[in-house]
Amino acid sequence: MRHFDLVIIGSGSGNSLLDERFDGWNVAIVDKGIGPNDAYGGTCLNVGCIPTKMFVHTADVAAGPAAGERLGVDLELRGVRWREIRDRIFERIDTISAGGRHYRAEESPNVTLFTGVATFSGVKRLTVETEDGPETITADRFVIAAGGRPDLPDLPGLLDVPYWTSDTVMRLDELPRRMIIMGTGFVGAEFAHVFSSLGVEVTLVGRSGVALRAEDADIAERFTEIATRKWDVRLNRHATSVERDGDGIVLHLDGPDGAESVPGDALLVATGRRPNADLLDAPAGGIELTADGKVKVDSTQRASVDGVWALGDVSSHFELKHVANHEMRVVQHNLLHPDDPIESDHRFVPHAVFSAPQIASVGLTEEQARRRGIDHVVSTQDYAAIAYGWAMEDTTGFAKLLADPRTGLILGAHIIGPQAPTVIQPLIQAMHFGLDARSMAKGQYWIHPAMPELVENALLNLPLD
């Protein structure tokens, strides 16, 4: 049984733990691969953030001609070369993934790479099903960074029809004429934008009354209003079954008006994700899980077994790459300095939805502030009321801020509209460093007539004491 100083499970943010300070450690990385090609490098690189945003940018360009009409510019989308788009993106992604695997397997002398499904077979003991058979390894320290995977609903007929998930849909051979997307969260919203912009007829199906229901209610309602003008949006629907129909499929629903059926040529299941802790049989390693199946950690990312840490989607409420990277740096420090541990800072975690329009958010929603009894004031600012908004002829985007009426400290910020993930960044910075709204608005120059004036005016609109 081989013994290591450190075993890292997962090749995403966990892979980034190792720098020159670990050169003297005997390290094992255990990775089962991800996606249809069992790629190295984790979710973000291979099936998540990076390739999806490369598709999103392509979709934004494809949607440009339609936006030109209101500006007096006549443009035409003459065609979409899907395979060229797909191959351009994955030639880059797959090269990076293969390079990462080669570096760890061949050019990291203190690292042993195990490829295969791993399960705990005891405390600090892991059995890996490699191509050469099972191998059991032990270590003084473990870092569980095994990520998550798409969660499939218990839908009659699903396993009998061809379906896609976010892990696989970007590698379609051909664009379908009609796509049904189950799920109105960020995955469904982003892929609806991608495929509809490339000419696919999209039906978006959700159980709740709005799309992106986790966003601030005003943001979710505005996005839903816009979405229903572009896609066939079916809300308040419960999927009852799915079946083949020739070369396509039919999804059966139960909704406000009773039973209905939706035909399609492809089905994308985007109903959520689940942590991979169950695949590891974490309890067999003495590792405590939360009620939703994640590895339970404290503020230093330590798990219930001494010498075991966890980070990223397998343990974090925030299934976001920037959170996983932050937690990685915390674990990295605590591995190297066990007598001087630091804690993760999850106070102000931002997120974005790269659909059309884009959305970005940080901090409390108005609904959360009300439920928690937190005193707050609210302001909104439309894109249409700033000069750059006039240039874009944007009539739907806005920023919404929540602040403490006494201190002026920002409690939450929510933006829907062009470049929202970029425009929100100064507000994230202000929240982290305790800059109040009045000082932020009046204590610096704001370039005119640039898009950040949206933030400046929203700050000035806050009714502070």
Side-chain angles (χ1 to χ4, degrees), residues 6-15 17 28 30 118 120 124 126 141-148 275-283 285-289 293-297 301-305 307-316 324 327-328 331 335:
L6 170 65
V7 170
I8 300 169
I9 306 173
S11 64
S13 293
N15 181 68
L17 277 165
V30 181
F120 281 98
K124 293 186 180 179
L126 196 71
R141 309 162 192 84
F142 275 79
V143 174
I144 305 172
N276 282 333
D278 60 328
L279 301 182
L280 298 171
D281 196 6
I287 297 164
E288 187 177 350
L289 302 181
K294 293 180 180 288
V295 175
K296 187 175 182 180
V297 295
Q301 302 300 132
R302 294 176 70 99
S304 57
V305 174
V308 179
W309 289 261
L311 61 90
D313 293 359
V314 77
S315 60
S316 180
E327 293 174 351
M328 178 276 294
V331 171
L335 285 168

Side-chain angles (χ1 to χ4, degrees), residues 62 77 80 175-178 192-202:
L77 178 63
V80 169
L175 283 179
R177 184 171 66 86
R178 301 167 300 175
H193 167 50
V194 167
F195 286 107
S196 67
S197 296
L198 300 181
V200 178
E201 297 175 16
V202 168

Side-chain angles (χ1 to χ4, degrees), residues 58-71 73 75-77 193 197:
T58 303
D60 291 343
V61 172
E69 182 178 356
R70 69 174 183 269
L71 302 176
V73 179
L75 302 170
E76 180 182 352
L77 178 63
H193 167 50
S197 296

